[in-house]
């Protein structure tokens, strides 16, 4: 069997009395894109810090490329933090030169999209371009593994699509990718997902695996305001959906009963749950 | 009651931040303004709130005491507690006595902040702080509520709470305009306005936005033209300027519609540059 690039086995990290990561296992193989999902405080960032080797484990084991995290393993991975890790007062080219220099490599060839802004200060270019520079910097030393923390937050959809093209191209070359996101459509770009809640990995697999078992009911009615108010009053998790509503974690007959009791007519049908709805249902149940 | 903006142009120095943008804000509905960094979302919201004077076009909005505004990521006072934030805004808005008492209870319950009344805003999680900011913008029960990226940086679970608060405000009759970079979120709105470099890229109900994209998008394993294609998991989406085959949908979702429309615009721009 091929050694995974990241292998975390029963990893726990405590801070005093607080358990930030609780018995989590996770692996990322060559060419694989794995998404890490969860609410703020679920333990994603702590897990990533342990994988990067900047934070030790309290229990369990992490290996990168088959060995414990170290400076040597750090040189074989590319990391794009949420804050991008660029210098605003350096130009695009200077940033790439400087970052490549720390790896003892020459700066990568500038992607065509960045050619026109080679000499611009990073602080003066738009967020979409800044993210492209951060990607170029992270990929410059031809890493075998990419760790990306909310890589496309704040950019327009076409820029986001182009950033994901870069991620997929890297994966096609055999690079393993671990990516955190709050953006549910972005989760659909991943081969596998790991869902964390309160420090633990509570679900793993494809999107279809994770949403399985969550029930969602879609309600279409001319009176969505009344339906929303009545179903909320019945203590249901109600989501607005255009000019209809969706109810999470209940069966259609319960919704039908609540609507009838409130004198509201409409069509009620089971619907395919989204990841976001699944996370809301799990959080509510816990 | 419908508020909104008509054919709005806003200029900052030599930069045209908005060029001919229109938006309806209908009582009881949520309108989503979508776009990336620099698309003009905040300028449009600020113009609606009367904080930016347009160079041409009209804005129709209620007077300030019937308007609520939640700015990006700074809608609370970090050194005040949750209760003190509410006291401060209530005093400024003239909300007092039993009215303040009942609204405070209702908003804190809706935000799940009852247990955090004495906590400094600085010590709240990002999601809790945004829910407090929303409560502050809602405290005087405005007719028009303007929210600038309320869910950016908010995790999916808090986002569900925030949306429940937004839907509650709409169900109670407020007109809501919110900026977002999340297209799956925009699908929850009654009306979607997609901005790109200060211009309207697409506008309408989510269904109208899907229908309004020029050409069509298909799912393929090997794209004909990489410049018109982008990845979606292990397959590609590919945009074509031709209409779809009869009886097939032109596009799967809002994300694809917006990417397709952006590609169409870029090709028009390049063709014009070539003359």
């Amino acid at each position: 069997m091929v050694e995974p690039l990241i292998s975390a086995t029963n990893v726990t990290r405590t801070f005093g009395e607080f358990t930030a990561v609780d018995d989590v296992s996770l692996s990322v193989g060559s060419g694989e894109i794995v998404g890490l999902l969860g609410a703020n405080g679920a333990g994603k960032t702590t897990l990533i810090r342990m994988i990067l080797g900047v934070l030790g484990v309290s229990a369990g084991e992490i290996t990168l490329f088959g060995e414990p995290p170290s400076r040597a393993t750090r040189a074989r991975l590319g990391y794009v933090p949420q804050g991008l890790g660029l210098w605003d007062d350096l130009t695009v080219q200077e940033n790439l030169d400087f970052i490549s220099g720390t790896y003892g490599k020459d700066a990568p060839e500038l992607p065509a999209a960045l050619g026109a802004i080679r000499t611009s200060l990073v602080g003066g270019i738009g967020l979409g371009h800044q993210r492209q520079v951060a990607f170029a910097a992270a990929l410059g030393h031809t890493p075998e593994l990419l760790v990306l923390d909310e890589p496309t937050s704040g950019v327009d959809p076409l820029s986001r699509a182009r950033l994901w093209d870069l991620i997929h191209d890297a994966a096609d070359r055999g690079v393993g990718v671990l990516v955190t996101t709050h953006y549910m459509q972005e989760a659909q770009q991943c081969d596998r997902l790991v869902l964390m809640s309160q420090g633990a990995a509570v679900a793993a697999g494809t999107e279809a695996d994770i949403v399985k078992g969550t029930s969602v009911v879609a309600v279409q009615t001319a009176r969505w305001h009344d339906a929303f108010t009545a179903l909320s009053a019945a203590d249901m998790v109600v989501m607005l959906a255009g000019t209809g509503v969706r109810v999470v974690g209940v069966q259609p007959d319960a919704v039908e009963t609540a609507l009838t009791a409130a004198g509201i007519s409409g069509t009620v049908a089971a619907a395919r749950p989204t990841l976001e709805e699944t996370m809301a249902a799990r959080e509510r149940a816990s | 009651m419908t508020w909104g903006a008509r054919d709005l142009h806003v200029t900052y120095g030599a930069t045209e931040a908005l060029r001919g943008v229109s938006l309806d804000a209908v009582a009881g509905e949520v309108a989503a303004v979508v776009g990336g960094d620099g698309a003009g979302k905040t300028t449009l919201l600020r113009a609606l709130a009367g904080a930016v004077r347009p160079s041409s076009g009209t804005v129709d909005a209620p007077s300030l005491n019937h308007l609520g505004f939640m700015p990006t990521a700074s809608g609370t006072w970090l050194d005040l507690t949750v209760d003190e934030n509410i006291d401060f805004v209530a005093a400024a808005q003239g909300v007092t006595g039993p009215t303040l008492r009942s609204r405070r209870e209702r908003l804190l319950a809706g935000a799940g902040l009852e247990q955090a009344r004495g906590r400094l805003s600085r010590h709240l999680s990002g999601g809790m702080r945004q829910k407090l900011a929303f409560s502050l913008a809602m405290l005087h029960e405005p007719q028009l509520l303007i929210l600038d990226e309320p869910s950016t940086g908010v995790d999916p679970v808090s986002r569900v709470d925030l949306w429940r608060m937004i839907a509650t405000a709409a169900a109670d009759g407020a007109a809501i305009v919110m900026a977002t970079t999340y297209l799956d979120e925009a699908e929850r709105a009654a009306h979607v306005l997609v901005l790109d470099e200060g211009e309207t890229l697409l506008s309408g109900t989510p269904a109208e936005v899907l229908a309004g994209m020029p050409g069509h998008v298909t799912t393929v394993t090997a794209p004909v033209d990489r410049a018109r294609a982008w990845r979606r998991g292990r397959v590609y989406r590919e945009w074509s300027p031709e209409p779809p085959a009869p009886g097939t949908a032109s596009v799967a979702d809002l994300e694809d519609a917006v990417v397709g429309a952006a590609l169409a615009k870029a090709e028009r721009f390049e063709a014009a540059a070539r003359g």
Side-chain angles (χ1 to χ4, degrees):
Chain A
M1 190 195 131
V2 182
E3 184 89 47
L5 302 176
I6 300 176
S7 172
T9 313
N10 304 113
V11 169
T12 294
R13 173 70 206 204
T14 55
F15 296 100
E17 298 282 287
F18 177 67
T19 303
V21 171
D22 189 1
D23 196 24
V24 171
S25 296
L26 170 155
S27 76
V28 178
S30 173
E32 199 177 29
I33 303 176
V34 177
L36 193 55
L37 309 179
N40 291 331
K44 303 189 300 290
T45 303
T46 304
L47 181 61
I48 283 185
R49 287 164 61 82
M50 289 189 285
I51 288 168
L52 291 175
V54 296
L55 189 68
V57 301
S58 303
E61 188 189 30
I62 290 179
T63 60
L64 283 180
F65 318 109
E67 51 189 276
S70 67
R71 277 180 69 94
T73 60
R74 175 66 186 88
R76 296 168 66 184
L77 70 87
Y79 173 49
V80 180
Q82 252 182 68
L84 297 181
L86 300 173
W87 283 267
D88 282 357
D89 295 334
L90 297 183
T91 66
V92 168
Q93 187 66 56
E94 286 165 349
N95 263 281
L96 294 178
D97 288 344
F98 185 74
I99 292 165
S100 300
T102 61
Y103 293 104
K105 304 245 178 164
D106 290 333
E109 197 174 322
L110 208 60
L114 297 177
I117 53 165
R118 171 191 294 273
T119 57
S120 304
L121 294 182
V122 159
I125 62 177
L127 181 62
H129 276 140
Q130 287 183 355
R131 290 202 175 277
Q132 288 180 346
V133 176
F135 268 61
L139 287 164
H141 59 293
T142 54
E144 297 151 70
L145 175 68
L146 270 180
V147 179
L148 310 171
D149 201 355
E150 301 200 26
T152 71
S153 175
V155 306
D156 65 272
L158 180 56
S159 301
R160 182 159 53 231
R162 291 303 176 223
L163 287 168
W164 271 98
D165 285 349
L166 290 176
I167 297 171
H168 281 292
D169 288 348
D172 288 349
R173 294 194 303 270
V175 176
V177 182
L178 179 65
V179 52
T180 72
T181 181
H182 281 161
Y183 188 62
M184 294 297 108
Q185 258 161 355
E186 198 156 82
Q188 296 169 354
Q189 297 276 14
C190 302
D191 299 318
R192 275 194 301 123
L193 300 167
V194 175
L195 177 57
M196 289 186 72
S197 176
Q198 296 168 26
V202 293
T206 63
E207 183 190 8
D209 295 334
I210 289 180
V211 302
K212 199 163 49 193
T214 300
S215 50
V216 168
V217 177
V219 179
Q220 281 304 329
T221 163
R223 295 167 56 195
W224 81 259
H225 298 101
D226 296 331
F228 181 85
T229 305
L231 296 169
S232 297
D235 203 27
M236 293 180 183
V237 179
V238 194
M239 320 265 288
L240 180 59
T243 48
V245 299
R246 288 164 70 93
V247 195
V248 181
V250 292
Q251 298 301 323
D253 54 347
V255 173
E256 204 120 31
T257 305
L259 288 176
T260 306
I264 300 164
S265 60
T267 61
V268 173
R272 189 170 179 277
T274 66
L275 273 172
E276 190 175 56
E277 288 165 345
T278 301
M279 290 170 73
R282 281 179 176 275
E283 211 63 24
R284 170 112 165 173
S286 70
Chain B
M1 189 70 219
T2 298
W3 315 102
R6 280 285 143 271
D7 197 20
L8 210 60
H9 289 252
V10 173
T11 310
Y12 296 128
T15 311
E16 264 202 300
L18 286 180
R19 290 190 294 277
V21 171
S22 299
L23 174 74
D24 283 342
V26 181
E29 287 187 4
V30 180
V33 181
V34 184
D37 178 53
K41 303 189 298 294
T42 297
T43 300
L44 173 60
L45 266 45
R46 286 168 57 88
L48 271 177
V52 167
R53 190 192 298 269
S55 50
S56 68
T58 56
V59 169
D60 188 14
S63 61
L64 275 184
N65 51 339
H66 295 294
L67 188 144
F69 192 95
M70 175 179 166
T72 320
S74 58
T76 73
W77 283 267
L78 296 177
D79 293 326
L80 299 182
T81 65
V82 168
D83 260 339
E84 287 165 350
N85 265 282
I86 291 176
D87 292 340
F88 186 67
V89 172
Q93 296 284 3
V95 181
T96 57
T99 310
L100 173 58
R101 263 200 301 283
S102 72
R103 286 187 194 170
R104 184 198 304 267
E105 295 314 313
R106 199 162 90 107
L107 286 168
L108 289 180
L113 286 169
E114 298 114 311
Q115 308 303 318
R117 291 160 177 267
R119 207 184 300 174
L120 293 181
S121 168
R122 172 182 308 289
H123 294 152
L124 298 175
S125 71
M128 288 169 99
R129 197 178 306 124
Q130 288 298 78
K131 287 186 275 183
L132 173 60
F134 179 89
S135 302
L136 297 178
M138 266 308 286
L139 193 60
H140 59 301
E141 298 193 342
Q143 296 167 11
L144 173 61
L145 181 59
I146 301 170
L147 312 169
D148 196 356
E149 296 200 27
S151 60
T152 293
V154 174
D155 68 66
V157 174
S158 294
R159 201 151 68 216
V160 170
D161 288 342
L162 198 58
W163 262 97
R164 198 180 57 235
M165 299 175 77
I166 292 170
T168 303
D172 289 346
I176 295 172
V177 177
M178 65 172 297
T180 181
T181 59
Y182 297 102
L183 281 159
D184 48 1
E185 187 164 80
E187 280 175 8
R188 298 194 180 285
H191 190 98
V192 180
L193 169 65
V194 184
L195 292 180
D196 180 65
E197 294 176 336
E199 292 176 336
T200 300
L201 195 59
L202 292 164
S203 176
T205 64
E208 287 166 353
V209 167
L210 293 180
M213 187 201 67
H216 73 289
V217 172
T218 48
T219 299
V220 295
T221 48
V224 179
D225 181 356
R226 274 299 295 260
R228 285 177 172 174
W230 63 98
R231 302 288 289 252
R232 202 64 175 305
R234 288 286 146 178
V235 293
Y236 290 82
R237 299 283 211 260
E238 187 164 21
W239 174 77
S240 157
E242 308 301 327
T248 60
S250 63
V251 65
D253 60 22
L254 273 182
E255 178 104 15
D256 288 341
V258 175
V259 175
L263 286 172
K265 182 182 168 182
E267 290 196 4
R268 279 199 309 276
F269 186 76
E270 282 164 23
R274 281 197 303 271

